[in-house]
Amino acid sequence: MNAIIQLLGRLALTAIFALSALGKLSDFPGTVEKMKSVSVPAPEVLLPISIAALVLGSLSLALGLRARLGALALIGFLMAATWFFHNPSDPEQMIAFLKNLALMGGLLMVVSSGSGSLSLDRLLFKKKKK
């Protein structure tokens, strides 16, 4: 049962990041402008890096392939997004700020415990017992 819960948790975390990547890809110029409006430095460079982190991190979590690294990539994305877009002193941004903190908490659990037994990591890198 624990393996199924870990898989469902990884998939639930994946959803928001995968949809975020699709949104950024579907309106790349608009996303660059939004990044400029909050003074993100070099948005034309950082946006492709952000999209890569979102796509690779989402795939990593969903498949359970090097999920700890994928979770760390997504935490890095969240830290930057939270810094630039979700000022907790703004009451309208407080929920988004707290949502990002909660997502980071879930991702830290993946960093701590790994991807679980229902994962490509387990299938591909399982240590053989002697």
Side-chain angles (χ1 to χ4, degrees), residues 39-113:
S39 302
V40 173
E44 296 87 355
V45 174
L46 291 179
L47 181 54
I49 293 169
S50 296
I51 292 169
L54 289 167
V55 169
L56 295 174
S58 293
L59 285 172
S60 173
L61 280 182
L63 299 173
L65 181 61
R66 302 294 190 217
R68 285 183 165 115
L69 292 176
L72 286 171
L74 294 172
I75 288 169
F77 166 80
L78 281 171
M79 290 172 67
T82 303
W83 177 265
F84 283 103
F85 292 98
H86 305 302
N87 183 345
S89 65
D90 177 354
E92 292 183 17
Q93 289 298 317
M94 179 56 82
I95 294 298
F97 177 85
L98 293 172
K99 172 207 52 130
N100 284 5
L101 284 181
L103 286 167
M104 284 186 250
L107 291 167
L108 285 170
M109 294 174 120
V110 174
V111 171
S112 172
S113 65

